[in-house]
Amino acid sequence: MGVKVAHNWRLRGQRYRLEGEVCDHCGSTIFPPRDICPECHQPAKTEHTLSGRGEVYTYSTVQNAPEGFEQYVPYTVALVKLEEGPMITAQLTDVAPDDVEIGMPVEMVTRRLRVQGDEGTISYGYKFRPVLQRA
Amino acid sequence: MRDVAIIGIGQTPVDEHWTTSLRHLALDAGLKALKDANLERVEAVYVGNMLSGTTTGQEHLGGLVVDFLGMAGTEAMKIEAACASGAAAVRVGMMAVASGMSDLVLAMGVEKMTDTVGQQTTAALAMAADAEYEVSQGVTFVTLNGLLMQRYMYEYGWERKDFANFVINAHANGKHNPNAMFQKEISQAAYERSPMISSPVGLFDASPICDGAAAVVLAPMEYAHTLSPAPVRIKASAVATSPLAVHSRKDPLALEAARISAQRAYEQAEIEPDDLDFFELHDAFTIMAALSLEATGFAERGQAVRMALDGEITLDGRIPVSTMGGLKSRGHPVGATGVYQIVESVLQLRGLAGETQLPNARLGMAQNIGGSGATIITHILEAMG
């Protein structure tokens, strides 16, 4: 069940830049793009790039990984509530599993998601890390 | 529309069936159900299954199963709705009979999960989630349930140990079910000791990977009594959906499709939840058992764990659940599970549930959950014997 080249390429706007949509009817921000607003059910095709800032809504640390992710165990997956409203499923990075808390502010970074052997593709995409304190 | 009855049931013991292939599992359950109904043939066969293509390299189960049942020529199709495939097959069969398009239908579920190794099976199961936006992040089904359980504990203040009674109850009942995978009890201490799979979900919060098949024969209620001494009426059948990905649901802990499908079923059956004698719920994970009880109206939000702690889900409780072991103890051969739930409900309603028979069981509900809750199918069954 490896991930194919065209599949990765097709999702590059979402994986690398969090490209979603905004609804011209009700103003909702939409991620991932679905062209129909889940709030008001009107067509919504205006592109909108999300900020990548949000907070941890919930999390789970994986000890028993599916095929293709065994080498990354343990890793923590979270539902991140983005500040524009949508929720996103993503791994957390740059944080120890025991230090993760619900409500923790996080920001998007681009990281390697998965390596599929010597001849397979290397998938990159979003992960989220605790917000860095800026000087 | 015609009322529909179940006039025959069959099940294969749930286990790791190393010596039995997918087709022979299906054959065993199907032939048992036909024998129970005193029939040699039906007019249509619907086979519920989720994973056969990935775990056994075999699709096209309608044609395969009907051939091996010795009924080539008969209408047959595979029905897929992730872990709700079994109940979906029963619902399709019911629609065929209710509409008058068929009189006698065999609806079954079959799953073979042990021909692949653990990580492959885990990855196959994850296909019920959103491939592009959940699975790509290394999410498994256990992880999705871990996300829900963690948030539930945070919002309502429960600890993991408080969920133990769902498991203790399932195993106390499954101990007496000869078709259950784990016919033994589990203690509070053993539950608390079980290793984490995807926190806070531990091994004993989760149902096992296994093989199995179960089947029912459906007929019009109007002449079911001429075919069976103890027909069971399908009093309600309802499907509802929620967004596929957990992150797309407005309130991830609400299990909205369970609420809607149960509500539709209560309206069809013209009953209230309190009228039910038992509830075969989809306890694939302890958190799913809790969310199901809340969504179907048996507990307030956040309080299903309290119900379990207070003994309200045991055989002598307010609403007995998992009366023959549930997914946790009987096992969860995913595409077959919904049919096992219905077969066990029929046993309760016929008075043939053995050691765990409920006194005077007349009305039962079975609810089968696909994925993390995107497709949820509720059936209400009534004893007519």
Side-chain angles (χ1 to χ4, degrees), chain A residues 23 25-26 30 35-45:
Chain A
C23 176
H25 297 89
C26 74
I30 302 162
D35 298 353
I36 292 172
C37 176
E39 295 295 329
C40 70
H41 310 290
Q42 298 294 311
K45 293 189 175 182

Side-chain angles (χ1 to χ4, degrees), chain B residues 131-173:
Chain B
E132 295 185 353
Y133 294 99
E134 290 184 312
V135 182
S136 57
Q137 307 303 311
V139 162
T140 68
F141 251 86
V142 190
T143 309
L144 294 175
N145 283 275
L147 293 168
L148 294 172
M149 189 168 171
Q150 186 76 260
R151 182 72 194 186
Y152 186 94
M153 288 160 56
Y154 170 82
E155 284 200 16
Y156 302 113
W158 300 110
E159 295 178 45
R160 179 172 176 269
K161 65 178 172 59
D162 299 324
F163 289 77
N165 277 14
F166 291 112
V167 174
I168 293 168
N169 174 64
H171 278 260
N173 296 338

Side-chain angles (χ1 to χ4, degrees), chain B residues 25 85 237 366:
Chain B
L25 292 170
S85 300
S237 170

Side-chain angles (χ1 to χ4, degrees), chain B residues 160 186 188-197 200-206:
Chain B
R160 179 172 176 269
I186 281 185
Q188 176 84 30
Y191 168 80
E192 290 183 27
R193 273 200 311 272
S194 66
M196 284 292 122
I197 314 174
V201 175
L203 185 64
F204 284 0
D205 288 288

Side-chain angles (χ1 to χ4, degrees), chain A residues 3-77:
Chain A
V3 178
K4 303 296 188 290
V5 173
H7 172 110
N8 277 333
W9 175 82
R10 203 160 54 232
L11 291 168
R12 65 199 182 284
Q14 286 72 50
R15 290 269 172 82
Y16 304 157
R17 295 182 292 277
L18 289 185
E19 286 177 3
E21 292 165 330
V22 67
C23 176
D24 292 333
H25 297 89
C26 74
S28 294
T29 305
I30 302 162
F31 188 91
R34 48 171 74 214
D35 298 353
I36 292 172
C37 176
E39 295 295 329
C40 70
H41 310 290
Q42 298 294 311
K45 293 189 175 182
T46 305
E47 289 180 10
H48 180 78
T49 299
L50 281 77
S51 67
R53 286 186 297 271
E55 62 175 50
V56 173
Y57 174 83
T58 184
Y59 62 94
S60 177
T61 298
V62 180
Q63 304 287 354
N64 197 328
E67 185 177 34
F69 287 89
E70 298 96 329
Q71 59 186 305
Y72 309 112
V73 164
Y75 55 91
T76 302
V77 175

Side-chain angles (χ1 to χ4, degrees), chain B residues 11-12 14 48-50 81-90 108-113 125 207-216 280-285 325-328 330-345 366-370 377 379:
Chain B
Q11 60 179 322
T12 295
V14 178
N49 173 269
M50 174 182 172
C83 325
S85 300
V90 173
M108 63 162 65
V110 59
E111 205 72 70
K112 180 78 188 159
M113 302 172 75
L125 285 166
S207 51
I209 285 169
C210 50
D211 308 322
V216 295
E280 291 305 332
L281 51 69
H282 191 96
D283 54 343
F285 297 90
L327 281 62
K328 177 69 190 75
R330 173 241 297 133
H332 181 26
V334 285
T337 290
V339 188
Y340 277 99
Q341 292 177 311
I342 288 171
V343 164
E344 291 162 359
S345 298
Q367 189 175 64
N368 193 195
I369 299 182
I377 306 179
H379 284 99

